[in-house]
Amino acid sequence: MTRRLITFNLDNLGEPREYTPPADRVIEGDIICRNWDIDSAKDGAVRAGIFKSTPGTNRSIKGEAWEFCAILSGVAEITEDDHEPITYRAGDYFIMKPGYTGTWRTIETVRKIWVIA
């Protein structure tokens, strides 16, 4: 029987997918990203997981994606193009809407929950 209740077990996520941002988007640092896909629905149109990034700065481009983020730990400064930077810390939540472009600067290694639709 398929489970309909999915728990984010933050202490036992398994092996992540590890990667670096595309070289043409890296502005500063040797950024290492780790991603744990927790669940998906609607043929992959809705996805949720955990993301972790080491310090550095890169261009952030959402394309057509809508993303909700909940910062679990660390500090990031996010600057939407033509706007002032906003600093996010553990306990902060935000949405990046389709068409968002800007920079993401990880000041202290960040860990977040994400939901993309």
Side-chain angles (χ1 to χ4, degrees), residues 9-23:
N9 184 344
L10 300 178
D11 295 323
N12 187 22
L13 293 170
E15 290 300 313
R17 178 172 42 93
E18 187 172 292
Y19 59 96
T20 58

Side-chain angles (χ1 to χ4, degrees), residues 42-78:
K42 299 191 178 195
D43 296 323
V46 178
R47 298 178 294 127
I50 304 292
F51 170 84
K52 184 176 182 179
S53 176
T54 61
T57 305
N58 62 279
R59 287 287 296 156
S60 178
I61 302 169
K62 280 287 116 192
E64 293 303 311
W66 175 98
E67 181 177 357
F68 168 81
C69 301
I71 303 294
L72 299 171
S73 62
V75 180
E77 179 184 82
I78 301 174

